[in-house]
């Protein structure tokens, strides 16, 4: 008997593990494991979600027209060049399926977001990593890793889990050094949090080239990961491909309605960014004072580097025993590190205090 067999690559995928939300035997947990917004989401988004409950018997707008119009207004973009997805993850997956297949390579930096490799394998393509320099994507190494088989280069900017980013001129140099037929995907999931003035989310590069796409999400600063909502801004030809490949109703009506309302509530995003900047920088200083290595982060999380994998594991266990959940990083090739999301002020202080206790000499 020959049983059904998946396509090559599929069984090479190690399933993505999200951050834990509970610990057996611990009542009050503080989850700092999934880069969620500790301030919640816009109240206007919640109200829009509740109102959407009145029309559950109707199919959503398959083209997410109102949402794309709202995105266009908010970001100064042509809505015709936007495609929405069920989380930006879906769009990343569709891009892999559309532009890479068996024999092709999908390139990303060594500690880049895990979903790139998962979707590349799902498309039958080969994920390829280029070394980073001091946990920052390295333009020269990325360009040196390009082969005749490279089809897509994913750059998370800022990157998860390192938190580091490439300034706009470096990203342009990367694009300029790539062959024309290589699609550059700039994953700007944390763009709303970035305050550096040499940073660009990549929209300008999308506008001025024919082979660059930017992906964005409502899961991070907008605080709506439960709804699964993301979007891509790209050249007409790439958006056309996404529209052919995506499910006809891939973004549900509740997500569309909440997304429109969230975009209009600019105050919530400003508040989230200001809160994050203050507590991320506070946390970075505290952890460095404890002797931990912490790369400068432009996102809503920091990477805490311990002396080795054993120390990181012990720290994780120590935190868990106190109800604090952070993220182990072995899957990212950083077994000596833990990634810590910036929480509320109280949560962030509790985390720092617990790590201080862990690091205290015997
Ligand atoms: C969280 C995250 C995403 C996407 O999340 P969705 O919830 O699927 O929109 C994409 N890229 C990076 C780097 C992320 O950290």
């Amino acid at each position: 008997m020959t049983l059904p067999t998946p396509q090559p690559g599929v069984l090479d995928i190690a399933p993505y593990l999200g951050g834990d939300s509970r610990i057996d035997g611990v009542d009050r947990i503080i989850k700092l494991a999934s880069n969620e917004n500790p301030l919640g989401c816009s109240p206007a988004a919640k109200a829009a979600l509740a109102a959407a409950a009145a029309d559950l018997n109707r199919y959503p707008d398959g083209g997410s027209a109102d949402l794309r119009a709202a995105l266009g207004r908010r970001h100064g973009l042509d809505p015709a060049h936007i495609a929405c997805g069920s989380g930006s993850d879906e769009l990343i997956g569709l891009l892999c399926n559309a532009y890479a297949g068996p024999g092709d390579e999908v390139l990303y930096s060594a500690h880049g977001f895990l979903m790139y490799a998962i979707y590349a394998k799902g498309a039958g393509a080969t994920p390829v990593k280029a070394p980073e320099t001091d946990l920052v994507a390295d333009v020269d190494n990325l360009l040196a890793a390009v082969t005749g088989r490279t089809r897509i280069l994913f750059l998370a900017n800022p990157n998860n889990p390192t938190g580091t980013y490439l300034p706009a001129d470096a990203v342009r140099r990367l694009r300029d050094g790539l062959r024309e037929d290589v699609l550059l995907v700039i994953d700007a999931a944390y763009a709303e949090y970035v305050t550096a003035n040499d940073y660009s989310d990549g929209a300008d590069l999308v506008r001025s080239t024919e082979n660059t796409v930017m992906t964005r999400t409502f899961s991070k600063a907008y605080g709506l990961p439960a709804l699964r909502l993301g979007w891509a801004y790209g050249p007409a030809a790439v958006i056309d491909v996404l529209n052919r490949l995506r499910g006809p109703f891939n973004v549900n009506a509740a997500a569309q309605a909440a997304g429109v309302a969230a975009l209009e509530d600019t105050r919530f995003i400003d508040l989230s960014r200001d809160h994050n900047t203050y507590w991320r920088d506070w946390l970075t200083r505290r952890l460095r004072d404890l002797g931990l290595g912490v790369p400068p982060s432009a996102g809503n999380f920091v990477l805490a580097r311990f002396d080795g994998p054993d120390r990181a594991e012990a720290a994780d266990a120590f935190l868990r025993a106190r109800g604090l959940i952070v993220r182990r990083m072995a899957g990212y090739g950083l077994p000596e590190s833990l990634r810590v999301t910036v929480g509320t002020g109280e949560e962030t202080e509790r985390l720092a205090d617990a790590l201080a206790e862990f690091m205290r000499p015997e």
Side-chain angles (χ1 to χ4, degrees), residues 34-35 86-90 92 113 116 156 158-160 187 189-190 215-220 225 228-230 339:
S34 298
N35 298 347
S86 177
S88 52
D89 270 358
E90 183 193 22
I92 292 166
F113 189 43
Y116 309 146
N159 183 50
N160 169 18
D187 175 351
Y190 299 94
T215 60
R216 302 286 290 265
T217 183
F218 284 80
S219 298
K220 304 288 158 56
R228 313 304 305 125
L229 185 58
R339 191 192 66 197

Side-chain angles (χ1 to χ4, degrees), residues 13 18 20 54 73 105 109 120 123 136 147 193 197 223 248 263 281 293 296 300 306 309 313 329 332 343 347:
I13 296 172
D20 289 336
R73 281 194 300 278
E105 294 174 355
S109 73
V136 184
T147 73
Y193 284 120
N197 52 21
L263 283 166
D281 295 350
N300 66 337
F306 293 81
E313 194 179 333
M329 287 288 119
Y332 282 94
E347 290 170 342

Side-chain angles (χ1 to χ4, degrees), residues 270-356:
D270 292 344
L271 201 71
S272 297
R273 181 191 305 109
D274 291 348
H275 169 89
N276 185 66
T277 303
Y278 178 84
W279 286 104
R280 179 193 60 211
D281 295 350
W282 181 91
L283 182 61
T284 300
R285 276 196 308 276
R286 276 288 308 265
L287 299 189
R288 283 179 181 164
D289 286 348
L290 296 175
L292 297 168
V294 182
S297 172
N300 66 337
F301 54 89
V302 301
L303 192 71
R305 313 194 72 206
F306 293 81
D307 277 344
D310 293 350
R311 280 295 276 171
E313 194 179 333
D316 186 46
F318 186 91
L319 294 174
R320 278 179 174 261
R322 285 152 186 78
L324 290 150
I325 308 181
V326 299
R327 196 76 155 261
R328 300 286 314 272
M329 287 288 119
Y332 282 94
L334 298 164
E336 76 299 332
S337 295
L338 299 177
R339 191 192 66 197
V340 183
T341 304
V342 175
T344 62
E346 192 211 335
E347 290 170 342
T348 309
E349 283 173 346
R350 290 258 301 258
L351 182 279
D353 289 347
L355 276 179

Side-chain angles (χ1 to χ4, degrees), residues 67-88:
L67 177 58
R68 287 187 300 107
L71 285 165
R73 281 194 300 278
R74 176 78 155 105
H75 294 281
L77 306 174
D78 179 354
H81 286 251
I82 294 172
C84 297
S86 177
S88 52

